[in-house]
Amino acid sequence: MKRVLIATDGSDHALKAAELGTELAIKMDGAELHILAVAYYEPSEEVELRKFAQIEHLDGGLMNIAQELAQSHTTRARLKAEEKGAKSIKTAVIVGDPATEILAYIPANAIDAVVVGRRGQGRIAGLLLGSVSQKLASLAPCVVVICP
């Protein structure tokens, strides 16, 4: 393996995935580590985004705020990866549907393995709605590790 992708949304599960992905990249003889966050929000998340904007003193539309939040997720994961000893790290923030954008990023960057956290919703809701991790497990053209 030469390239490992960590897809993060800043959740506790994503932070665990970032740690595992970093360890995997280091053990794979210093594989290149990619850290990706996708800026996306549901209308139900508007209040949380506005709170984040207020705390961080951000102006702009909700998508700009979502991009800033996504950037903070990649920065946090990068710092943790550097602390653990990862050397070659690339970060990216992309706007769009998370599963779609991650699936497009994989072949475009010759990713060998992707590490993500599992979604925190219940099993039935996950089956009905689908989750990013489930879509990646079904559709990704590479190894997918889902971290609990």
Side-chain angles (χ1 to χ4, degrees), residues 18-20 22-23 26 78-86:
E19 288 180 22
L20 180 62
T22 299
E23 290 173 15
I26 291 169
R78 180 186 190 108
L79 290 172
K80 289 210 174 270
E82 289 172 344
E83 286 174 10
K84 289 198 170 273

Side-chain angles (χ1 to χ4, degrees), residues 87-148:
K87 300 292 182 211
S88 179
I89 305 171
K90 293 184 177 186
T91 61
V93 173
I94 299 173
V95 175
D97 173 70
T100 302
E101 296 305 328
I102 295 166
L103 286 166
Y105 188 93
I106 292 168
N109 292 277
I111 299 298
D112 299 304
V114 60
V115 184
V116 294
R118 70 171 166 82
R119 186 171 222 173
Q121 67 181 349
R123 185 175 175 168
I124 299 299
L127 290 173
L128 294 174
L129 301 174
S131 71
V132 172
S133 59
Q134 289 172 329
K135 289 175 185 173
L136 292 174
S138 299
L139 301 172
C142 65
V143 172
V144 176
V145 178
I146 301 172
C147 189

Side-chain angles (χ1 to χ4, degrees), residues 65-76:
I65 296 166
Q67 285 178 280
E68 290 289 335
L69 182 58
Q71 185 64 52
S72 74
H73 297 328
T74 61
T75 299
R76 188 173 174 193

